[in-house]
Amino acid sequence: METNEITILGEAIKNEKRLFMLRELMLKKDLTWTEIVKLTDEHFDIRVNPNTISFHLKYLMDREIIKKVGNHYIFNDKMGLLLSTLVR
């Protein structure tokens, strides 16, 4: 494992909303933006500002942790494998 990738993941999971989104993506393999909004709203029991969700998804894509394929968000292969290894 590369130290830089672990640092990137560590920074990403510091935020509870990003951590929740990553956990849901890990469990469900892929989610649309609408599904992420719905799940996040239900989990936090509040209406999460859609701009907040977009910001966090962009944060994760900019760091190549997730990617968008069509309308679905999925893990980038390398980061998904690294994250699943770390949480075992």
Side-chain angles (χ1 to χ4, degrees), residues 9-38:
L9 281 174
E11 289 296 318
I13 63 173
K14 281 184 180 180
N15 179 279
E16 66 181 339
K17 287 182 181 65
R18 282 195 300 263
L19 176 59
F20 174 76
M21 290 176 200
L22 288 172
R23 185 174 54 225
E24 289 300 306
L25 279 169
M26 185 176 284
L27 293 171
K28 296 183 176 60
K29 305 300 182 209
D30 70 87
L31 291 167
T32 65
W33 186 85
T34 303
E35 292 168 331
I36 293 169
V37 169
K38 182 178 182 230

Side-chain angles (χ1 to χ4, degrees), residues 40-64:
T40 306
D41 286 352
E42 290 171 357
H43 177 77
F44 290 98
D45 200 29
I46 59 168
R47 174 80 167 101
V48 178
N49 185 328
N51 292 331
T52 300
I53 292 174
S54 293
F55 170 82
H56 290 303
L57 290 172
K58 183 173 178 346
Y59 179 98
L60 294 169
M61 287 189 297
D62 287 349
R63 283 147 187 86
E64 299 181 349

Side-chain angles (χ1 to χ4, degrees), residues 56-81:
H56 290 303
L57 290 172
K58 183 173 178 346
Y59 179 98
L60 294 169
M61 287 189 297
D62 287 349
R63 283 147 187 86
E64 299 181 349
I65 298 170
I66 66 171
K67 61 185 174 183
K68 189 173 181 184
V69 177
N71 291 327
H72 294 263
Y73 293 90
I74 62 172
F75 274 102
N76 275 330
D77 295 335
K78 189 175 184 180
M79 288 300 225
L81 179 62

